[in-house]
Coordinates of all heavy atoms in Angstrom, one line a residue:
M823 N 70.8 92.7 43.0 CA 69.9 92.7 41.9 C 70.6 93.6 40.8 O 70.9 94.7 41.1 CB 68.5 93.2 42.2 CG 67.6 93.2 41.0 SD 66.0 93.6 41.6 CE 65.4 94.4 40.1
T824 N 70.7 93.1 39.6 CA 71.2 93.9 38.5 C 70.1 94.7 37.8 O 68.9 94.4 38.0 CB 71.9 93.0 37.5 OG1 70.9 92.2 36.9 CG2 73.0 92.2 38.1
T825 N 70.4 95.7 37.1 CA 69.4 96.5 36.4 C 69.1 95.9 35.0 O 68.2 96.4 34.3 CB 69.9 97.9 36.2 OG1 71.1 98.0 35.5 CG2 70.0 98.6 37.6
A826 N 69.8 94.9 34.6 CA 69.6 94.3 33.2 C 68.1 93.9 33.0 O 67.5 94.2 32.0 CB 70.6 93.2 32.9
P827 N 67.5 93.1 33.9 CA 66.1 92.7 33.7 C 65.2 93.9 33.6 O 64.2 93.9 32.8 CB 65.8 91.9 34.9 CG 67.1 91.3 35.3 CD 68.1 92.4 35.1
L828 N 65.5 95.0 34.4 CA 64.6 96.2 34.3 C 64.7 96.8 32.8 O 63.7 97.1 32.3 CB 65.1 97.3 35.3 CG 64.4 98.6 35.2 CD1 62.9 98.5 35.5 CD2 65.1 99.6 36.0
W829 N 65.9 96.9 32.3 CA 66.0 97.4 30.9 C 65.4 96.5 29.9 O 64.8 96.9 28.9 CB 67.5 97.7 30.6 CG 68.0 98.8 31.3 CD1 68.9 98.8 32.3 CD2 67.7 100.2 31.1 NE1 69.1 100.1 32.8 CE2 68.4 101.0 32.0 CE3 66.8 100.9 30.2 CZ2 68.3 102.3 32.1 CZ3 66.7 102.2 30.3 CH2 67.5 103.0 31.2
L830 N 65.5 95.2 30.2 CA 64.8 94.2 29.3 C 63.3 94.3 29.3 O 62.6 94.2 28.3 CB 65.3 92.8 29.6 CG 66.7 92.5 29.2 CD1 67.1 91.1 29.7 CD2 67.0 92.6 27.7
W831 N 62.8 94.6 30.5 CA 61.3 94.7 30.7 C 60.9 96.0 30.0 O 59.8 96.1 29.3 CB 60.9 94.7 32.1 CG 60.8 93.4 32.7 CD1 61.5 92.9 33.8 CD2 60.0 92.3 32.3 NE1 61.2 91.6 34.1 CE2 60.3 91.2 33.2 CE3 59.0 92.1 31.3 CZ2 59.6 90.0 33.1 CZ3 58.4 90.9 31.2 CH2 58.7 89.8 32.1
I832 N 61.7 97.1 30.1 CA 61.4 98.3 29.4 C 61.4 98.1 27.9 O 60.5 98.6 27.2 CB 62.3 99.4 29.8 CG1 62.1 99.8 31.3 CG2 62.2 100.7 28.9 CD1 63.1 100.7 31.9
S833 N 62.4 97.4 27.4 CA 62.5 97.1 26.0 C 61.3 96.3 25.5 O 60.8 96.5 24.4 CB 63.8 96.3 25.7 OG 64.9 97.1 26.0
A834 N 60.9 95.3 26.3 CA 59.7 94.5 26.0 C 58.5 95.3 25.9 O 57.7 95.2 25.0 CB 59.6 93.3 27.0
G835 N 58.3 96.2 26.9 CA 57.1 97.1 26.8 C 57.1 98.0 25.6 O 56.1 98.2 25.0
L836 N 58.3 98.6 25.3 CA 58.3 99.5 24.2 C 58.1 98.7 22.9 O 57.4 99.2 22.0 CB 59.7 100.2 24.2 CG 59.8 101.3 25.2 CD1 61.2 101.8 25.2 CD2 58.8 102.4 25.1
A837 N 58.7 97.6 22.7 CA 58.5 96.8 21.5 C 57.0 96.4 21.4 O 56.5 96.4 20.3 CB 59.4 95.6 21.5
G838 N 56.4 96.0 22.5 CA 55.0 95.6 22.4 C 54.1 96.8 22.1 O 53.2 96.7 21.3
F839 N 54.5 98.0 22.6 CA 53.7 99.2 22.3 C 53.9 99.6 20.9 O 52.9 99.9 20.2 CB 54.2 100.4 23.2 CG 53.5 101.7 23.0 CD1 52.2 101.8 23.4 CD2 54.2 102.7 22.5 CE1 51.5 103.0 23.2 CE2 53.5 103.9 22.3 CZ 52.2 104.1 22.7
I840 N 55.1 99.5 20.3 CA 55.3 99.8 18.9 C 54.5 98.8 18.0 O 54.0 99.2 17.0 CB 56.8 99.9 18.6 CG1 57.4 101.1 19.3 CG2 57.0 99.9 17.1 CD1 58.9 101.1 19.3
C841 N 54.5 97.6 18.5 CA 53.8 96.5 17.7 C 52.3 96.9 17.7 O 51.7 96.8 16.6 CB 54.0 95.2 18.4 SG 53.1 93.8 17.5
L842 N 51.7 97.3 18.8 CA 50.3 97.7 18.8 C 50.0 98.9 18.0 O 49.0 99.0 17.3 CB 49.9 97.9 20.3 CG 49.8 96.7 21.1 CD1 49.4 97.0 22.6 CD2 48.8 95.6 20.6
I843 N 50.9 99.9 18.0 CA 50.8 101.0 17.1 C 50.8 100.6 15.7 O 50.0 101.1 14.9 CB 51.9 102.1 17.4 CG1 51.6 102.8 18.8 CG2 51.9 103.2 16.4 CD1 52.7 103.7 19.2
H844 N 51.8 99.7 15.4 CA 51.9 99.3 14.0 C 50.6 98.5 13.5 O 50.2 98.8 12.4 CB 53.1 98.4 13.9 CG 53.3 97.7 12.5 ND1 53.8 98.4 11.5 CD2 53.0 96.5 12.1 CE1 53.9 97.6 10.4 NE2 53.4 96.5 10.7
I845 N 50.1 97.7 14.4 CA 49.0 96.9 14.0 C 47.7 97.7 13.9 O 47.0 97.7 12.9 CB 48.7 95.7 15.0 CG1 49.9 94.7 14.8 CG2 47.4 95.1 14.8 CD1 49.9 93.6 15.8
F846 N 47.4 98.5 14.9 CA 46.1 99.2 14.9 C 46.1 100.6 14.2 O 45.3 100.8 13.3 CB 45.6 99.4 16.4 CG 45.3 98.1 17.0 CD1 46.1 97.5 18.0 CD2 44.2 97.4 16.6 CE1 45.8 96.3 18.6 CE2 43.8 96.2 17.2 CZ 44.7 95.6 18.1
A847 N 47.1 101.4 14.5 CA 47.1 102.7 13.9 C 47.7 102.6 12.5 O 47.1 103.2 11.5 CB 47.9 103.7 14.7
G848 N 48.7 101.9 12.3 CA 49.3 101.7 11.0 C 48.4 100.9 10.1 O 48.4 101.2 8.9
G849 N 47.8 99.9 10.6 CA 46.9 99.1 9.8 C 45.7 99.9 9.3 O 45.2 99.7 8.2
R850 N 45.2 100.8 10.1 CA 44.1 101.6 9.7 C 44.5 102.7 8.6 O 43.7 103.0 7.7 CB 43.5 102.4 10.9 CG 42.2 103.0 10.7 CD 41.6 103.6 11.9 NE 41.6 102.7 13.1 CZ 42.1 103.0 14.3 NH1 42.6 104.2 14.5 NH2 42.1 102.1 15.2
E851 N 45.7 103.1 8.7 CA 46.2 104.2 7.8 C 46.8 103.6 6.5 O 46.7 104.2 5.5 CB 47.3 105.0 8.5 CG 46.7 105.9 9.6 CD 45.8 107.0 9.0 OE1 46.1 107.6 8.0 OE2 44.8 107.3 9.7
S852 N 47.4 102.4 6.6 CA 48.2 101.9 5.5 C 47.5 100.8 4.7 O 47.6 100.7 3.4 CB 49.5 101.3 6.0 OG 50.2 102.3 6.6
V853 N 46.8 99.9 5.4 CA 46.3 98.7 4.7 C 45.1 99.0 3.8 O 45.2 98.5 2.6 CB 46.0 97.6 5.7 CG1 45.3 96.4 5.0 CG2 47.3 97.1 6.4
P854 N 44.1 99.7 4.2 CA 43.0 99.9 3.3 C 43.4 100.6 2.0 O 42.9 100.2 0.9 CB 42.0 100.7 4.1 CG 42.3 100.4 5.5 CD 43.8 100.2 5.5
P855 N 44.2 101.7 2.0 CA 44.6 102.3 0.7 C 45.4 101.3 -0.1 O 45.3 101.4 -1.4 CB 45.4 103.5 1.2 CG 45.1 103.8 2.5 CD 44.7 102.5 3.2
L856 N 46.2 100.5 0.5 CA 47.0 99.6 -0.3 C 46.1 98.6 -1.0 O 46.3 98.3 -2.2 CB 48.0 98.8 0.7 CG 48.8 97.7 0.0 CD1 49.8 98.2 -1.0 CD2 49.5 96.9 1.1
L857 N 45.2 98.0 -0.2 CA 44.4 97.0 -0.8 C 43.4 97.5 -1.8 O 42.9 96.8 -2.7 CB 43.6 96.2 0.3 CG 44.5 95.4 1.2 CD1 43.7 94.7 2.3 CD2 45.4 94.4 0.4
S858 N 43.0 98.8 -1.7 CA 42.1 99.3 -2.7 C 42.8 100.0 -3.8 O 42.1 100.6 -4.7 CB 41.1 100.3 -2.0 OG 41.9 101.4 -1.5
S859 N 44.1 100.0 -3.9 CA 44.8 100.6 -5.0 C 44.7 99.9 -6.3 O 44.3 98.7 -6.3 CB 46.3 100.8 -4.6 OG 46.9 99.5 -4.6
D860 N 45.0 100.5 -7.3 CA 45.0 99.8 -8.6 C 46.3 99.2 -9.0 O 46.5 98.8 -10.2 CB 44.5 100.8 -9.7 CG 45.5 102.0 -9.9 OD1 46.3 102.1 -9.0 OD2 45.3 102.8 -10.8
M861 N 47.1 99.0 -8.0 CA 48.4 98.3 -8.2 C 48.1 96.8 -8.6 O 47.1 96.3 -8.3 CB 49.2 98.3 -6.9 CG 50.6 97.8 -7.0 SD 51.4 97.7 -5.3 CE 51.1 99.3 -4.7
E862 N 49.0 96.3 -9.4 CA 48.8 94.9 -9.8 C 48.8 94.0 -8.6 O 49.4 94.3 -7.5 CB 49.9 94.5 -10.8 CG 49.8 95.2 -12.1 CD 50.6 94.5 -13.2 OE1 50.8 93.3 -13.1 OE2 51.0 95.2 -14.1
S863 N 48.2 92.8 -8.7 CA 48.0 92.0 -7.5 C 49.3 91.5 -6.9 O 49.4 91.4 -5.6 CB 47.1 90.8 -7.8 OG 47.7 90.0 -8.7
L864 N 50.3 91.1 -7.6 CA 51.5 90.6 -7.1 C 52.3 91.6 -6.2 O 52.5 91.3 -5.0 CB 52.5 90.0 -8.2 CG 53.7 89.3 -7.6 CD1 53.4 88.1 -6.8 CD2 54.6 89.0 -8.8
P865 N 52.5 92.8 -6.6 CA 53.2 93.7 -5.7 C 52.3 94.2 -4.6 O 52.8 94.4 -3.5 CB 53.6 94.9 -6.6 CG 53.0 94.7 -7.9 CD 52.5 93.3 -8.0
K866 N 51.0 94.3 -4.8 CA 50.1 94.7 -3.8 C 50.1 93.7 -2.6 O 50.3 94.0 -1.5 CB 48.7 94.8 -4.3 CG 47.6 95.2 -3.3 CD 46.2 95.0 -3.7 CE 45.9 95.7 -5.1 NZ 44.4 95.7 -5.3
Y867 N 50.0 92.4 -3.0 CA 49.9 91.4 -1.9 C 51.3 91.1 -1.3 O 51.4 90.6 -0.2 CB 49.2 90.1 -2.4 CG 47.7 90.4 -2.6 CD1 47.1 90.4 -3.9 CD2 46.9 90.9 -1.5 CE1 45.8 90.7 -4.1 CE2 45.6 91.2 -1.7 CZ 45.0 91.1 -3.0 OH 43.7 91.4 -3.2
T868 N 52.3 91.4 -2.1 CA 53.7 91.2 -1.5 C 53.9 92.3 -0.4 O 54.4 92.0 0.6 CB 54.7 91.4 -2.6 OG1 54.5 90.3 -3.6 CG2 56.1 91.3 -2.0
N869 N 53.4 93.5 -0.7 CA 53.5 94.6 0.3 C 52.6 94.3 1.5 O 53.0 94.5 2.7 CB 53.1 95.9 -0.3 CG 54.1 96.6 -1.1 OD1 55.3 96.6 -0.7 ND2 53.8 97.0 -2.3
Y870 N 51.5 93.7 1.3 CA 50.6 93.3 2.4 C 51.2 92.2 3.2 O 51.2 92.2 4.5 CB 49.3 92.9 1.8 CG 48.1 92.7 2.8 CD1 47.8 93.6 3.7 CD2 47.4 91.5 2.8 CE1 46.8 93.4 4.6 CE2 46.4 91.3 3.6 CZ 46.1 92.3 4.6 OH 45.1 92.1 5.5
Y871 N 51.9 91.3 2.6 CA 52.6 90.2 3.3 C 53.7 90.8 4.1 O 53.9 90.4 5.2 CB 53.1 89.2 2.2 CG 53.9 88.1 2.8 CD1 53.4 87.1 3.6 CD2 55.3 88.0 2.5 CE1 54.1 86.1 4.1 CE2 56.0 86.9 3.0 CZ 55.5 86.0 3.8 OH 56.2 85.0 4.3
C872 N 54.5 91.7 3.5 CA 55.6 92.4 4.3 C 55.1 93.1 5.5 O 55.7 93.1 6.5 CB 56.4 93.3 3.4 SG 57.4 92.4 2.1
W873 N 53.9 93.7 5.4 CA 53.3 94.4 6.5 C 53.1 93.4 7.6 O 53.3 93.7 8.8 CB 52.0 95.1 6.1 CG 51.4 96.0 7.2 CD1 51.8 97.3 7.5 CD2 50.5 95.6 8.1 NE1 51.0 97.7 8.6 CE2 50.2 96.7 9.0 CE3 49.7 94.4 8.4 CZ2 49.3 96.6 10.0 CZ3 48.8 94.4 9.4 CH2 48.6 95.5 10.2
H874 N 52.6 92.2 7.3 CA 52.3 91.2 8.3 C 53.6 90.7 8.9 O 53.7 90.4 10.1 CB 51.5 90.0 7.7 CG 50.1 90.3 7.6 ND1 49.5 91.0 6.5 CD2 49.1 90.1 8.4 CE1 48.2 91.1 6.7 NE2 47.9 90.6 7.9
L875 N 54.7 90.6 8.1 CA 56.0 90.1 8.6 C 56.5 91.1 9.6 O 57.1 90.7 10.6 CB 57.0 89.9 7.4 CG 56.7 88.7 6.5 CD1 57.7 88.6 5.4 CD2 56.7 87.4 7.4
V876 N 56.4 92.4 9.3 CA 56.8 93.4 10.3 C 56.0 93.3 11.6 O 56.6 93.4 12.7 CB 56.8 94.8 9.7 CG1 57.0 95.9 10.7 CG2 57.7 94.9 8.5
S877 N 54.8 93.0 11.5 CA 53.9 92.9 12.7 C 54.4 91.7 13.5 O 54.6 91.8 14.7 CB 52.5 92.6 12.3 OG 52.0 93.7 11.6
L878 N 54.7 90.6 12.9 CA 55.2 89.4 13.6 C 56.6 89.6 14.2 O 56.9 89.2 15.3 CB 55.2 88.2 12.6 CG 53.8 87.6 12.2 CD1 54.0 86.6 11.1 CD2 53.1 87.1 13.4
T879 N 57.4 90.3 13.4 CA 58.8 90.6 13.9 C 58.7 91.5 15.2 O 59.4 91.2 16.2 CB 59.6 91.3 12.9 OG1 59.7 90.4 11.7 CG2 61.0 91.6 13.4
L880 N 57.9 92.5 15.2 CA 57.7 93.3 16.4 C 57.2 92.6 17.6 O 57.6 92.7 18.7 CB 56.9 94.6 16.1 CG 57.5 95.6 15.1 CD1 56.4 96.6 14.7 CD2 58.6 96.3 15.8
A881 N 56.2 91.7 17.3 CA 55.7 90.9 18.4 C 56.7 89.9 18.9 O 56.9 89.7 20.1 CB 54.4 90.1 17.9
A882 N 57.5 89.3 18.0 CA 58.6 88.4 18.4 C 59.7 89.1 19.2 O 60.2 88.6 20.2 CB 59.2 87.7 17.2
M883 N 60.0 90.4 18.9 CA 60.9 91.2 19.6 C 60.4 91.4 21.1 O 61.2 91.2 22.0 CB 61.2 92.5 19.0 CG 62.0 92.4 17.7 SD 62.2 94.0 16.9 CE 62.9 95.0 18.1
A884 N 59.2 91.8 21.2 CA 58.6 92.0 22.5 C 58.7 90.7 23.4 O 59.0 90.7 24.5 CB 57.2 92.5 22.4
A885 N 58.3 89.6 22.7 CA 58.3 88.3 23.5 C 59.7 87.9 23.8 O 60.0 87.4 24.9 CB 57.7 87.2 22.6
A886 N 60.7 88.1 22.9 CA 62.1 87.8 23.2 C 62.7 88.6 24.4 O 63.3 88.0 25.3 CB 62.9 87.9 22.0
Y887 N 62.4 89.9 24.4 CA 62.9 90.7 25.5 C 62.2 90.3 26.8 O 62.9 90.2 27.8 CB 62.6 92.2 25.2 CG 63.5 92.9 24.3 CD1 63.1 93.6 23.2 CD2 64.9 92.8 24.4 CE1 63.9 94.2 22.3 CE2 65.8 93.4 23.6 CZ 65.3 94.1 22.5 OH 66.2 94.7 21.7
A888 N 60.9 90.0 26.8 CA 60.2 89.6 28.0 C 60.8 88.3 28.5 O 61.0 88.1 29.7 CB 58.7 89.5 27.7
F889 N 61.0 87.4 27.6 CA 61.5 86.0 28.0 C 62.9 86.2 28.6 O 63.3 85.6 29.6 CB 61.5 85.1 26.9 CG 61.7 83.6 27.3 CD1 60.6 82.9 27.7 CD2 62.9 83.0 27.2 CE1 60.8 81.6 28.1 CE2 63.1 81.7 27.6 CZ 62.0 81.0 28.0
A890 N 63.7 87.0 28.0 CA 65.1 87.2 28.5 C 65.1 88.0 29.8 O 66.0 87.7 30.6 CB 65.9 88.0 27.4
A891 N 64.1 88.8 30.0 CA 64.0 89.5 31.3 C 63.6 88.5 32.4 O 64.0 88.6 33.5 CB 63.0 90.7 31.2
A892 N 62.7 87.6 32.1 CA 62.1 86.7 33.1 C 63.2 85.6 33.4 O 63.3 85.1 34.5 CB 60.9 86.0 32.5
Y893 N 63.9 85.2 32.4 CA 65.0 84.1 32.5 C 66.3 84.7 32.0 O 66.6 84.6 30.8 CB 64.6 82.9 31.7 CG 63.2 82.3 32.1 CD1 62.1 82.6 31.3 CD2 63.1 81.6 33.2 CE1 60.9 82.1 31.7 CE2 61.8 81.1 33.6 CZ 60.7 81.3 32.8 OH 59.5 80.9 33.2
P894 N 67.1 85.2 33.0 CA 68.4 85.9 32.5 C 69.3 84.9 31.8 O 70.2 85.4 31.1 CB 69.0 86.4 33.9 CG 67.8 86.5 34.8 CD 66.8 85.5 34.4
S895 N 69.2 83.6 32.0 CA 70.1 82.7 31.3 C 69.8 82.7 29.8 O 70.6 82.2 29.0 CB 69.9 81.3 31.9 OG 68.6 80.8 31.7
A896 N 68.7 83.3 29.4 CA 68.3 83.3 28.0 C 68.7 84.7 27.4 O 67.9 85.2 26.5 CB 66.8 83.1 27.8
W897 N 69.8 85.2 27.7 CA 70.2 86.5 27.3 C 70.4 86.6 25.8 O 70.3 87.7 25.2 CB 71.5 87.0 28.0 CG 72.7 86.0 27.7 CD1 73.0 85.0 28.5 CD2 73.6 86.1 26.7 NE1 74.1 84.3 27.9 CE2 74.5 85.0 26.8 CE3 73.8 87.0 25.6 CZ2 75.5 84.8 25.9 CZ3 74.8 86.7 24.7 CH2 75.7 85.6 24.9
E898 N 70.6 85.4 25.1 CA 70.8 85.4 23.7 C 69.6 85.9 23.0 O 69.7 86.5 21.9 CB 71.2 84.0 23.2 CG 72.5 83.4 23.7 CD 72.3 82.6 25.0 OE1 71.2 82.7 25.6 OE2 73.2 82.0 25.4
L899 N 68.4 85.7 23.6 CA 67.2 86.2 22.9 C 67.1 87.7 22.9 O 66.7 88.3 21.9 CB 66.0 85.7 23.7 CG 65.6 84.2 23.5 CD1 64.5 83.8 24.4 CD2 65.3 83.9 22.1
A900 N 67.7 88.3 23.9 CA 67.7 89.8 23.9 C 68.7 90.3 22.8 O 68.4 91.3 22.1 CB 68.2 90.3 25.3
V901 N 69.8 89.6 22.6 CA 70.7 90.0 21.6 C 70.0 89.8 20.2 O 70.1 90.7 19.3 CB 72.0 89.1 21.7 CG1 72.9 89.4 20.5 CG2 72.7 89.4 23.0
A902 N 69.4 88.7 20.0 CA 68.7 88.4 18.8 C 67.6 89.5 18.5 O 67.4 89.9 17.4 CB 68.1 87.0 18.7
A903 N 66.8 89.8 19.5 CA 65.8 90.9 19.4 C 66.4 92.2 19.0 O 65.9 93.0 18.2 CB 65.0 91.0 20.7
T904 N 67.6 92.5 19.6 CA 68.2 93.7 19.3 C 68.7 93.8 17.8 O 68.6 94.8 17.1 CB 69.4 94.0 20.2 OG1 69.0 94.0 21.6 CG2 70.2 95.3 19.9
L905 N 69.2 92.6 17.4 CA 69.6 92.5 16.0 C 68.4 92.6 15.0 O 68.6 93.1 13.9 CB 70.4 91.2 15.7 CG 71.7 91.2 16.4 CD1 72.4 89.8 16.2 CD2 72.7 92.2 15.9
L906 N 67.3 92.2 15.4 CA 66.1 92.3 14.6 C 65.7 93.7 14.4 O 65.2 94.2 13.4 CB 64.9 91.5 15.2 CG 65.0 90.0 15.0 CD1 63.8 89.3 15.8 CD2 65.0 89.6 13.6

């Protein structure tokens, strides 16, 4: 047995943990002040959209690492998640 799946599972867990921190703690600290600011609507909602894109990227990284750990033939997903 190689240790590669173990490291991929650790990476999946850490990416998932960071995603949860970003969504729950970061969302509570960042999103309400952003949405209640007097910034014009286009930059305000562009920033809000970017916050969601980061959330989705972190979740996709966790899923890619987990899939690559479960199916070692899908090692390209781990490479893609690392590049993300």
Side-chain angles (χ1 to χ4, degrees):
M823 180 176 151
T824 64
T825 59
L828 174 66
W829 289 108
L830 290 173
W831 283 118
I832 291 170
S833 298
L836 288 174
F839 181 67
I840 292 170
C841 180
L842 291 175
I843 289 173
H844 176 78
I845 290 172
F846 292 108
R850 193 174 310 129
E851 292 291 320
S852 302
V853 174
L856 172 67
L857 294 178
S858 66
S859 71
D860 59 351
M861 189 185 308
E862 293 196 29
S863 64
L864 184 63
K866 179 192 307 189
Y867 292 116
T868 300
N869 282 311
Y870 189 50
Y871 176 69
C872 288
W873 186 85
H874 282 87
L875 288 179
V876 171
S877 300
L878 290 173
T879 301
L880 290 169
M883 285 175 60
Y887 282 129
F889 195 83
Y893 302 101
S895 62
W897 60 269
E898 297 92 349
L899 287 174
V901 172
T904 302
L905 292 174
L906 286 175

